[in-house]
């Protein structure tokens, strides 16, 4: 269940429109506290944006890949120098879709900060599961839970 070759990459959802196709990442259910829109001037890169400053809102995304493999999960977030908060990202690995009503085989949690000091706003791919641990072996769910906004917090 270990990744033996770091060069085996698989683009699952191209939400940034880097390639010619565009995959809309659809959440499980109707997430409260998140809105899907593009805040760039051309409105070409929509994303799920947290809108509730009180935090505690959760959005979940299903990742359905061929089972019995070992996948490393990255989440692309917008990093900026102002107006960004922190979040907890959890990957729950079920192995295959039929098991998602059972407890997960493995769970990985990581605290992520959307703020940085550089005076630009860009996408940043954050690795959530480790290379040497079977963090996702087929079907997994990625939860993003927002923390309360801290006023006056700038990069």
């Amino acid at each position: 269940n270990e990744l033996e070759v770091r060069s085996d990459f698989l683009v699952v959802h191209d939400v940034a429109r880097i390639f010619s196709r565009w995959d809309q990442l659809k959440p499980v259910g109707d997430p409260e506290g998140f809105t899907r829109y593009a805040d760039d001037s051309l409105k070409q890169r929509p994303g799920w944006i947290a809108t509730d400053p009180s935090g505690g809102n959760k959005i979940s995304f299903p990742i359905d890949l061929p089972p019995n493999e070992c996948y490393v999960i990255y989440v692309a977030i917008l990093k900026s120098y102002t107006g960004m908060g922190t979040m907890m990202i959890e990957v729950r690995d079920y192995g295959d879709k039929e098991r998602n009503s059972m407890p997960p085989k493995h769970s990985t949690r990581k605290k992520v900060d959307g703020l940085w000091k550089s005076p630009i706003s860009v996408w940043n791919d954050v690795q959530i599961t480790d290379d040497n641990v079977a963090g996702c072996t087929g079907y997994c769910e990625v939860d993003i839970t927002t923390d309360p906004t801290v006023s006056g917090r700038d990069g």
Side-chain angles (χ1 to χ4, degrees):
N1 285 336
E2 262 186 47
L3 287 179
E4 294 180 11
V5 180
R6 289 188 60 105
S7 62
D8 290 342
F9 292 101
L10 172 69
V11 175
V12 178
H13 294 287
D14 181 18
V15 295
R17 289 186 177 175
I18 294 170
F19 302 105
S20 60
R21 73 167 205 243
W22 178 43
D23 301 319
Q24 287 187 335
L25 194 57
K26 295 182 180 170
V28 175
D30 186 23
E32 289 188 28
F34 287 86
T35 302
R36 185 177 176 278
Y37 67 94
D39 63 356
D40 62 312
S41 60
L42 298 175
K43 305 296 181 205
Q44 291 185 339
R45 293 193 177 183
W48 288 98
I49 298 173
T51 56
D52 184 355
S54 63
N57 297 106
K58 181 169 85 171
I59 189 168
S60 299
F61 298 99
I63 307 296
D64 196 4
L65 301 167
N68 302 318
E69 298 290 336
C70 182
Y71 302 98
V72 177
I73 302 298
Y74 286 77
V75 174
I77 65 165
L78 179 67
K79 299 265 303 196
S80 187
Y81 56 98
T82 186
M84 304 303 286
T86 59
M87 65 208 84
M88 178 63 69
I89 300 178
E90 180 180 18
V91 176
R92 290 186 319 281
D93 176 35
Y94 296 98
D96 59 60
K97 199 167 188 173
E98 288 74 42
R99 289 182 40 95
N100 73 340
S101 61
M102 302 164 74
K105 295 171 26 175
H106 186 264
S107 182
T108 304
R109 293 170 54 96
K110 185 171 190 170
K111 185 72 131 188
V112 176
D113 193 343
L115 189 69
W116 66 3
K117 293 185 186 295
S118 299
I120 59 172
S121 300
V122 296
W123 290 66
N124 185 34
D125 292 328
V126 179
Q127 184 174 345
I128 307 302
T129 58
D130 293 326
D131 289 344
N132 60 351
V133 176
C136 182
T137 58
Y139 180 82
C140 60
E141 292 179 356
V142 178
D143 293 344
I144 301 172
T145 306
T146 59
D147 292 327
T149 300
V150 177
S151 62
R153 185 176 175 266
D154 286 325

Short mmCIF file of all heavy atoms in Angstrom, two decimals, residues 3 6 8 16-17 35 38 41 52-54 60 65 67 72 77 88 95 99 103 110 117 120-121 126 134-135:
data_model
loop_
_atom_site.label_atom_id
_atom_site.label_comp_id
_atom_site.label_asym_id
_atom_site.label_seq_id
_atom_site.Cartn_x
_atom_site.Cartn_y
_atom_site.Cartn_z
N LEU A 3 3.34 4.10 -1.78
CA LEU A 3 3.70 4.63 -3.08
C LEU A 3 5.17 4.35 -3.30
O LEU A 3 6.00 4.75 -2.50
CB LEU A 3 3.45 6.13 -3.15
CG LEU A 3 2.02 6.58 -3.23
CD1 LEU A 3 1.98 8.11 -3.27
CD2 LEU A 3 1.34 6.04 -4.46
N ARG A 6 7.32 8.20 -7.04
CA ARG A 6 6.71 9.52 -6.90
C ARG A 6 6.28 10.11 -8.24
O ARG A 6 5.57 11.10 -8.28
CB ARG A 6 7.67 10.48 -6.21
CG ARG A 6 7.86 10.19 -4.75
CD ARG A 6 8.64 11.28 -4.10
NE ARG A 6 7.97 12.54 -4.22
CZ ARG A 6 7.32 13.17 -3.27
NH1 ARG A 6 7.23 12.62 -2.09
NH2 ARG A 6 6.77 14.33 -3.46
N ASP A 8 4.33 8.68 -10.48
CA ASP A 8 3.02 8.19 -10.93
C ASP A 8 1.94 9.16 -10.47
O ASP A 8 1.45 9.08 -9.36
CB ASP A 8 2.74 6.79 -10.36
CG ASP A 8 3.63 5.74 -10.97
OD1 ASP A 8 4.20 6.00 -12.03
OD2 ASP A 8 3.75 4.67 -10.37
N ALA A 16 -8.94 23.90 -11.92
CA ALA A 16 -8.26 25.16 -12.25
C ALA A 16 -8.22 25.41 -13.75
O ALA A 16 -7.68 26.42 -14.18
CB ALA A 16 -6.85 25.16 -11.69
N ARG A 17 -8.76 24.50 -14.54
CA ARG A 17 -8.76 24.62 -16.00
C ARG A 17 -7.35 24.75 -16.56
O ARG A 17 -7.08 25.53 -17.47
CB ARG A 17 -9.59 25.81 -16.46
CG ARG A 17 -11.06 25.62 -16.29
CD ARG A 17 -11.78 26.79 -16.91
NE ARG A 17 -13.22 26.58 -16.83
CZ ARG A 17 -14.11 27.46 -17.21
NH1 ARG A 17 -13.72 28.60 -17.71
NH2 ARG A 17 -15.37 27.20 -17.11
N THR A 35 -20.15 29.15 -0.96
CA THR A 35 -20.77 29.53 -2.22
C THR A 35 -19.77 29.26 -3.33
O THR A 35 -18.58 29.53 -3.17
CB THR A 35 -21.14 31.04 -2.22
OG1 THR A 35 -22.01 31.30 -1.13
CG2 THR A 35 -21.82 31.43 -3.52
N ALA A 38 -16.67 32.61 -8.98
CA ALA A 38 -15.33 33.03 -9.40
C ALA A 38 -15.13 34.48 -8.97
O ALA A 38 -15.94 35.34 -9.31
CB ALA A 38 -15.19 32.90 -10.90
N SER A 41 -11.39 38.53 -12.22
CA SER A 41 -12.06 39.52 -13.07
C SER A 41 -12.72 38.92 -14.31
O SER A 41 -13.72 39.43 -14.78
CB SER A 41 -11.06 40.60 -13.51
OG SER A 41 -10.00 40.01 -14.25
N ASP A 52 -19.09 32.34 5.65
CA ASP A 52 -19.55 32.56 7.01
C ASP A 52 -18.35 32.80 7.93
O ASP A 52 -17.59 31.88 8.22
CB ASP A 52 -20.35 31.34 7.49
CG ASP A 52 -20.94 31.52 8.87
OD1 ASP A 52 -20.69 32.56 9.52
OD2 ASP A 52 -21.66 30.61 9.30
N PRO A 53 -18.15 34.04 8.40
CA PRO A 53 -16.98 34.34 9.23
C PRO A 53 -16.98 33.66 10.60
O PRO A 53 -15.95 33.59 11.26
CB PRO A 53 -17.01 35.86 9.37
CG PRO A 53 -18.41 36.26 9.09
CD PRO A 53 -18.97 35.22 8.16
N SER A 54 -18.13 33.12 11.03
CA SER A 54 -18.18 32.47 12.35
C SER A 54 -17.52 31.10 12.33
O SER A 54 -17.23 30.53 13.38
CB SER A 54 -19.62 32.36 12.84
OG SER A 54 -20.38 31.55 11.98
N SER A 60 -17.92 18.71 1.93
CA SER A 60 -17.33 17.38 1.70
C SER A 60 -17.35 17.05 0.22
O SER A 60 -18.34 17.32 -0.47
CB SER A 60 -18.12 16.31 2.44
OG SER A 60 -18.10 16.55 3.83
N LEU A 65 -11.96 6.67 -7.02
CA LEU A 65 -10.88 6.19 -7.87
C LEU A 65 -10.89 4.66 -7.90
O LEU A 65 -11.54 4.03 -7.05
CB LEU A 65 -9.54 6.69 -7.33
CG LEU A 65 -9.42 8.21 -7.23
CD1 LEU A 65 -8.21 8.59 -6.40
CD2 LEU A 65 -9.32 8.80 -8.61
N PRO A 67 -10.25 1.04 -6.91
CA PRO A 67 -9.86 0.55 -5.59
C PRO A 67 -8.55 -0.23 -5.61
O PRO A 67 -8.03 -0.59 -6.66
CB PRO A 67 -11.02 -0.36 -5.19
CG PRO A 67 -11.65 -0.77 -6.47
CD PRO A 67 -11.43 0.36 -7.44
N VAL A 72 -2.27 9.72 -3.19
CA VAL A 72 -1.94 10.84 -2.33
C VAL A 72 -2.89 11.97 -2.68
O VAL A 72 -3.05 12.31 -3.85
CB VAL A 72 -0.47 11.28 -2.53
CG1 VAL A 72 -0.16 12.51 -1.68
CG2 VAL A 72 0.48 10.14 -2.18
N ILE A 77 -5.93 25.24 -2.71
CA ILE A 77 -6.60 26.35 -2.03
C ILE A 77 -6.02 27.66 -2.54
O ILE A 77 -4.90 27.71 -3.03
CB ILE A 77 -6.46 26.27 -0.49
CG1 ILE A 77 -5.00 26.44 -0.07
CG2 ILE A 77 -7.05 24.99 0.05
CD1 ILE A 77 -4.85 26.72 1.40
N MET A 88 -9.55 23.01 8.77
CA MET A 88 -9.11 21.64 9.02
C MET A 88 -9.57 20.81 7.82
O MET A 88 -10.73 20.87 7.42
CB MET A 88 -9.74 21.08 10.30
CG MET A 88 -9.35 19.64 10.59
SD MET A 88 -7.60 19.38 10.86
CE MET A 88 -7.37 20.20 12.43
N GLY A 95 -11.80 2.84 0.91
CA GLY A 95 -11.34 1.78 0.01
C GLY A 95 -12.21 1.64 -1.22
O GLY A 95 -11.73 1.72 -2.33
N ARG A 99 -18.26 0.66 0.99
CA ARG A 99 -17.89 0.70 2.40
C ARG A 99 -18.14 2.05 3.07
O ARG A 99 -17.87 2.21 4.26
CB ARG A 99 -16.39 0.37 2.56
CG ARG A 99 -16.03 -1.06 2.29
CD ARG A 99 -14.54 -1.28 2.51
NE ARG A 99 -14.02 -0.58 3.67
CZ ARG A 99 -13.88 -1.11 4.88
NH1 ARG A 99 -14.23 -2.35 5.09
NH2 ARG A 99 -13.39 -0.39 5.88
N PRO A 103 -17.22 2.50 9.21
CA PRO A 103 -16.13 3.38 9.64
C PRO A 103 -14.99 3.35 8.61
O PRO A 103 -14.74 2.33 7.98
CB PRO A 103 -15.67 2.76 10.97
CG PRO A 103 -16.83 1.96 11.44
CD PRO A 103 -17.54 1.48 10.21
N LYS A 110 -5.35 17.51 8.64
CA LYS A 110 -4.29 18.50 8.52
C LYS A 110 -4.87 19.90 8.64
O LYS A 110 -5.85 20.23 7.98
CB LYS A 110 -3.57 18.35 7.18
CG LYS A 110 -2.38 19.26 7.03
CD LYS A 110 -1.59 18.92 5.79
CE LYS A 110 -0.28 19.68 5.79
NZ LYS A 110 0.61 19.21 4.74
N LYS A 117 2.48 35.87 3.52
CA LYS A 117 3.00 37.24 3.49
C LYS A 117 3.16 37.81 2.09
O LYS A 117 3.15 39.02 1.91
CB LYS A 117 4.34 37.30 4.22
CG LYS A 117 4.21 37.04 5.71
CD LYS A 117 5.53 37.22 6.40
CE LYS A 117 5.48 36.83 7.85
NZ LYS A 117 4.64 37.61 8.69
N ILE A 120 0.46 38.64 -3.19
CA ILE A 120 -0.26 38.12 -4.35
C ILE A 120 -1.24 37.05 -3.88
O ILE A 120 -1.08 36.49 -2.79
CB ILE A 120 0.68 37.53 -5.42
CG1 ILE A 120 1.51 36.39 -4.84
CG2 ILE A 120 1.56 38.60 -6.04
CD1 ILE A 120 2.32 35.63 -5.87
N SER A 121 -2.22 36.76 -4.71
CA SER A 121 -3.17 35.68 -4.44
C SER A 121 -3.03 34.63 -5.52
O SER A 121 -3.24 34.94 -6.70
CB SER A 121 -4.60 36.23 -4.42
OG SER A 121 -4.75 37.22 -3.43
N VAL A 126 -1.93 21.80 -1.62
CA VAL A 126 -1.52 21.37 -0.29
C VAL A 126 -1.65 19.85 -0.21
O VAL A 126 -2.73 19.30 -0.44
CB VAL A 126 -2.39 22.04 0.80
CG1 VAL A 126 -2.00 21.56 2.19
CG2 VAL A 126 -2.32 23.55 0.69
N ALA A 134 -1.05 4.68 3.18
CA ALA A 134 -2.21 4.51 2.28
C ALA A 134 -3.34 5.42 2.75
O ALA A 134 -4.28 5.00 3.41
CB ALA A 134 -2.64 3.06 2.26
N GLY A 135 -3.26 6.71 2.39
CA GLY A 135 -4.24 7.69 2.84
C GLY A 135 -5.55 7.64 2.09
O GLY A 135 -6.60 8.02 2.60
#
